[in-house]
Amino acid sequence: MPVIAVLGAIFVMGFEQLVQWQYGPMGIIGLLLLTIGIKARNPTCSSIGAVVLALMVAGPAF
């Protein structure tokens, strides 16, 4: 069981570093809002996080 928890933590940390490297601080903020909203079952917080991440992925619309 502890091995699975350690592997999960390594995967999450690696994913966060990838988001930070690719999308910068706003990507981390969006990911943080999304995960907090999901954990707290708060649809407003998770929706804001999802919108921030979607805007970061989509890039400028011009």
Side-chain angles (χ1 to χ4, degrees), residues 1-10:
M1 186 67 162
V3 173
I4 294 172
V6 169
L7 289 176
I10 290 171

Side-chain angles (χ1 to χ4, degrees), residues 36-56:
I36 289 173
I38 290 172
K39 295 276 185 185
R41 297 182 190 246
N42 186 343
T44 305
C45 187
S46 60
S47 296
I48 291 171
V51 167
V52 168
L53 285 176
L55 289 173
M56 295 299 296

Side-chain angles (χ1 to χ4, degrees), residues 14-39:
F15 184 71
E16 286 178 355
Q17 289 297 319
L18 177 68
V19 169
Q20 170 123 16
W21 172 70
Q22 186 72 29
Y23 301 111
M26 283 304 292
I28 289 294
I29 291 170
L31 185 64
L32 184 66
L33 284 171
L34 181 65
T35 54
I36 289 173
I38 290 172
K39 295 276 185 185

